Amino acid sequence: MGLAGWTRNSSGGLVVEVEGDAVALTEFLERLDDERPAASVVLAREVTWLAPSGLDSFSILDSDDSEARTSAILPDLATCPECLAETLDPEAWRFGYPFTNCTSCGPRYSIVLDIPYDRPNTTMRGFAMCPDCRREYENPRDRRFHAQPIACPRCGPCLNVGLTEATQTLRDGGVLALKGVGGFQLLCDAQSEQAVARLRERKRREAKPLAVMMRSVEEIRRYCRVSPLEEQTLVSTAAPIVLLEPSGPERLAENVSDASPFLGVMLPCSPLHHLLLREFPSPVVATSGNFSGDPIEIDNERAKRTLGPVVDRFVLHDRPIARPVDDSVVRISGKRLTLVRRARGYAPLPIPLSVDLPNVLAVGGHMKNAVAIGFGRQVILSQHIGDLDTPASREAFERAIDDLCRLYEFEPDVIACDLHPDYASTQWARRQGKPLVAVQHHHAHAAACAAENDIQIPYLAICWDGTGYGLDGTIWGGEFFVVDRDGFHRFAHLRPFALPGGEAAVREGRRAALSLLWEAEIQAPAEPLMRQMLERGINSPQTTSVGRLFDAVASLAGVAHQSRFEGQAAMLLERAAGAATGRPYPLPGGDWEPLIQALLADREAGAPQSVLAARFHEGLVEWAVSEARRAGLERVALSGGVFQNARLTDTLVERLSMDGRTVAVHQRTPPNDGGLALDQAVLAGLASSR
């Protein structure tokens, strides 16, 4: 364009100064939007017009780390078509190389050690570029121009074992430990019942579904139904695990997904995975390299010690991983993508806000933990960490906090945590000696959905989940809040009921079902111990949880009496409903008793499970719509783990929209507890700035 000036990377983002004809400068700004690299992310842009400096050339200057660290770090990107073609081309000099990448793909977050994102600030700093890689790296017309992880067989990372030898382990029915992009994965033949059983036993993962990696969308269609949006998500640069409906001519081993109605499927996300699946051209289980409940392993020597008893062979490489980044999990409903687990491909992209925050550290909840830092008009949410039940997971939680704070040279002015006093994250926050803001669980859910959708007050928040510590000391989970200038007001909620056995009732939906029958004076529990718990209120906490109502209805409908993994009964009830229809079960003002009476009458009359499940879903929708009408607010936000249910969410969004309401759902963060840290940061920041 004949423009002069310079550009440089900085710890605050990209800086460009150009000078020349005013018309050309205006055109440059337009082309910068239209022609920027596909992998780039623009969160904010500032344009200032200056007097010309008289420059007559354009330069790329050395990076500058003197500014405040606000620059976003890109997530890891799946292999682009060009790099894949090159890796598979026998005539290309990177043929068969498992670490081929360019500026459009490859590792980012998993290798970054510092900001700005330059090779010396990544785990690739120990690999000196060969002359050929150097020429590509320094050529502005090459797609590897300034590709920081650039490498080739002569100068880059390498494997410890050949893939032909490695895949023999899969053919023999063994378990393979593969060092992937963000950590170790455990692989086995997904068509072998014995291999999957062996993996489950060794990993100590009895029932929870296992993800599967397949070579192509065409192969996935042989096992699952795939919509256009699901295909688009599978082949995206995030390459997440997508929850699909099994519905194809071929079947995997039954114990892959066990009793789950969905199959979690992903495509290869790196050249290493592509090459492996060409050596072993069948679907493979690809699950996190850890014991259930622990964080995934990222270090070669530590993985050998901890995973040694689990696997039959290791596939290692010598590119260090800076931090564990698990695979993301998403579900598609209608035209909307719902994040179930936000990690590789999505984290740590910032969530932009419309309000200014002080420096706030948010430590999330106990389940599906992720932490966040907030400053300026953004919140940076970490990758998925997991449940904080084990010492190892709590160590990973603390490392994630240290990592984020170090990367951004961040010192919090205030720490935000959940109101629940027994959460490991809350207890850690209380030990730090910083100003503390404890945020009620469902207030946080509501604020997250509103923040990422820039919903302005006043609005109605519908927060339905399994468990959250309420302001009255009971377990909430079926809440409606009116949010206005005066704060959060609990507008409505599900009628409370007891959970005999506490945590045992979370795993056994029949306990919640018996509690409803006992309280409605329909049937007393046959078990003397359970009857005593209910009569005396011993170990029977009160709850308003819609999640637990799902468990109870699943049991009463004969769909599932227990959950072998979190949410199983609710997922099975959703599947049972299918496309069935029926009049909504009555749930007036959140009173579940008429609903239970009607369901039992249907069951007695021999109605199929599909009708029972469908009428229950419709009853929840009708209740939500009636409360929204009573609140009279135009804007509605939906949050909480229950809204991972596609049928419920899609129907409710449609009904509320038909009423003329604007409905916000989660887009950048999970509706479950994986998004809590965002909400905590926003609410704590607003509270501390008042």
Side-chain angles (χ1 to χ4, degrees):
M1 296 184 67
L3 297 174
W6 53 266
T7 183
R8 73 173 1 140
N9 236 354
S10 85
S11 50
L14 178 70
V15 184
V16 186
E17 184 172 307
V18 288
E19 62 178 272
D21 179 77
V23 174
L25 290 175
T26 301
E27 181 188 351
F28 170 78
L29 290 175
E30 294 173 353
R31 290 183 62 180
L32 191 61
D33 280 337
D34 296 338
E35 301 176 30
R36 62 184 176 85
S40 62
V41 175
V42 178
L43 297 167
R45 189 179 75 167
E46 297 179 10
V47 178
T48 305
W49 291 88
L50 306 168
S53 302
L55 298 175
D56 58 5
S57 63
F58 194 87
S59 304
I60 299 175
L61 305 182
D62 290 339
S63 296
D64 175 19
D65 62 358
S66 63
E67 296 186 31
R69 298 192 174 198
T70 59
S71 179
I73 301 172
L74 280 179
D76 301 299
L77 306 174
T79 309
C80 70
E82 291 82 4
C83 282
L84 178 58
E86 191 175 356
T87 305
L88 302 179
D89 180 5
E91 302 300 319
W93 61 292
R94 287 190 176 88
F95 172 60
Y97 186 56
F99 305 99
T100 303
N101 67 84
C102 69
T103 52
S104 296
C105 68
R108 298 292 192 275
Y109 185 44
S110 62
I111 63 170
V112 168
L113 297 172
D114 210 344
I115 299 174
Y117 175 60
D118 292 321
R119 191 179 181 96
N121 290 336
T122 74
T123 62
M124 286 295 295
R125 63 189 180 186
F127 297 91
M129 281 182 263
C130 67
D132 288 327
C133 284
R134 173 65 65 181
R135 275 193 294 272
E136 292 177 319
Y137 183 84
E138 294 177 348
N139 181 4
R141 298 187 182 278
D142 196 289
R143 78 173 195 276
R144 294 194 172 92
F145 177 54
H146 286 185
Q148 307 305 338
I150 187 172
C152 77
R154 291 194 287 271
C155 64
C158 59
L159 299 178
N160 71 317
V161 64
L163 292 182
T164 301
E165 182 182 2
T167 52
Q168 187 60 48
T169 301
L170 300 176
R171 294 187 182 92
D172 293 339
V175 177
L176 194 68
L178 179 79
K179 187 180 182 182
V181 176
F184 278 81
Q185 295 170 307
L186 302 179
L187 277 58
C188 73
D189 184 354
Q191 294 180 319
S192 167
E193 295 270 356
Q194 294 78 13
V196 176
R198 187 174 295 116
L199 172 59
R200 283 193 177 279
E201 180 183 4
R202 294 178 182 179
K203 182 178 164 71
R204 304 171 194 161
R205 183 163 172 163
E206 179 186 355
K208 194 173 181 181
L210 297 166
V212 177
M213 185 180 291
M214 301 188 190
R215 285 182 300 169
S216 64
V217 173
E218 291 69 35
E219 182 176 39
I220 294 174
R221 292 189 191 281
R222 287 160 37 193
Y223 298 89
C224 302
R225 180 177 289 115
V226 184
S227 71
L229 184 52
E230 287 167 339
E231 178 177 353
Q232 180 182 332
T233 306
L234 284 163
V235 302
S236 69
T237 57
I241 297 168
V242 181
L243 299 181
L244 300 174
E245 180 185 349
S247 179
E250 299 188 36
R251 291 286 181 268
L252 300 174
E254 287 290 332
N255 52 351
V256 168
S257 56
D258 202 33
S260 171
F262 303 108
L263 185 62
V265 184
M266 62 178 166
L267 292 172
C269 63
S270 75
L272 174 57
H273 291 92
H274 281 285
L275 292 168
L276 182 85
L277 288 188
R278 274 160 176 76
E279 289 285 340
F280 186 79
S282 297
V284 296
V285 166
T287 187
S288 304
N290 58 359
F291 286 107
S292 290
D294 286 345
I296 57 174
E297 296 292 349
I298 62 173
D299 177 76
N300 289 353
E301 295 308 314
R302 179 179 166 87
K304 290 178 185 177
R305 292 194 302 271
T306 58
L307 299 179
V310 179
V311 305
D312 299 294
R313 186 185 296 276
F314 283 90
V315 178
L316 307 174
H317 60 74
D318 54 352
R319 183 178 69 201
I321 297 174
R323 62 193 53 79
V325 186
D326 217 328
D327 297 312
S328 292
V329 181
V330 306
R331 184 180 179 190
I332 308 298
S333 58
K335 298 180 179 180
R336 182 175 57 254
L337 180 151
T338 299
L339 280 167
V340 178
R341 184 169 74 195
R342 185 179 187 266
R344 181 183 52 76
Y346 299 100
L349 286 177
I351 292 90
L353 305 176
S354 59
V355 296
D356 286 303
L357 297 180
N359 282 8
V360 56
L361 166 65
V363 298
H366 189 83
M367 307 288 286
K368 301 178 179 65
N369 183 270
V371 300
I373 57 174
F375 53 88
R377 293 198 164 196
Q378 65 178 350
V379 172
I380 299 172
L381 188 65
S382 79
Q383 72 277 22
H384 168 83
I385 297 167
D387 301 347
L388 304 183
D389 290 327
T390 67
S393 64
R394 292 191 285 273
E395 288 175 10
F397 158 79
E398 294 185 22
R399 284 196 302 271
I401 292 174
D402 292 341
D403 186 42
L404 269 185
C405 292
R406 180 191 57 78
L407 278 175
Y408 285 90
E409 294 184 342
F410 179 86
E411 181 66 30
D413 298 320
V414 62
I415 298 178
C417 65
D418 194 273
L419 187 65
H420 199 301
D422 296 332
Y423 280 1
S425 54
T426 300
Q427 294 174 349
W428 180 90
R430 287 179 171 173
R431 294 194 298 267
Q432 303 313 302
K434 295 270 187 180
L436 189 68
V437 176
V439 180
Q440 198 278 324
H441 191 88
H442 301 96
H443 291 185
H445 271 308
C449 186
E452 67 170 277
N453 288 282
D454 197 21
I455 296 293
Q456 303 299 310
I457 57 174
Y459 63 89
L460 176 70
I462 304 177
C463 300
W464 292 351
D465 66 1
T467 300
Y469 190 75
L471 295 174
D472 58 2
T474 64
I475 300 171
W476 288 5
E479 316 307 311
F480 294 78
F481 298 102
V482 168
V483 186
D484 55 25
R485 294 185 182 279
D486 296 324
F488 287 80
H489 312 281
R490 195 183 188 201
F491 179 75
H493 57 80
L494 188 71
R495 173 182 163 184
F497 60 96
L499 293 176
E503 282 297 317
V506 175
R507 297 185 297 272
E508 299 178 46
R510 69 178 189 89
R511 289 174 177 260
L514 288 171
S515 174
L516 297 179
L517 296 176
W518 174 79
E519 191 162 327
E521 299 182 352
I522 297 171
Q523 174 187 331
E527 301 97 320
L529 181 59
M530 193 174 299
R531 187 165 59 247
Q532 287 180 12
M533 284 192 291
L534 289 168
E535 289 173 350
R536 302 177 185 179
I538 300 171
N539 193 23
S540 299
Q542 291 287 307
T543 187
T544 60
S545 168
V546 170
R548 299 290 78 81
L549 182 64
F550 260 93
D551 295 343
V553 169
S555 180
L556 292 172
V559 172
H561 299 295
Q562 63 178 353
S563 291
R564 298 173 67 194
F565 56 87
E566 184 188 10
Q568 181 188 20
M571 292 164 68
L572 292 172
L573 192 64
E574 180 188 0
R575 182 178 68 174
T581 59
R583 290 180 296 104
Y585 281 140
L587 194 58
D591 184 359
W592 43 260
E593 188 168 334
L595 181 153
I596 297 302
Q597 297 277 10
L599 185 150
L600 294 176
D602 273 356
R603 191 181 71 178
E604 187 69 22
Q609 290 179 346
S610 60
V611 171
L612 304 182
R615 293 191 67 187
F616 170 64
H617 280 78
E618 293 301 317
L620 287 172
V621 169
E622 190 64 32
W623 174 41
V625 170
S626 66
E627 295 294 358
R629 289 171 178 167
R630 189 165 69 90
L633 296 173
E634 177 189 344
R635 292 177 286 273
V636 181
L638 309 180
S639 188
V642 168
F643 289 111
Q644 294 171 150
N645 182 312
R647 171 171 177 145
L648 176 68
T649 306
D650 291 347
T651 307
L652 182 52
V653 168
E654 180 182 1
R655 288 288 308 280
L656 291 171
S657 299
M658 288 172 59
D659 267 7
R661 305 186 196 283
T662 301
V663 187
V665 296
H666 287 264
Q667 302 177 76
R668 298 184 182 93
T669 62
N672 58 43
D673 287 5
L676 280 179
L678 167 62
D679 343 335
Q680 293 170 350
V682 172
L683 289 176
L686 293 176
S688 62
S689 63
R690 288 194 181 110

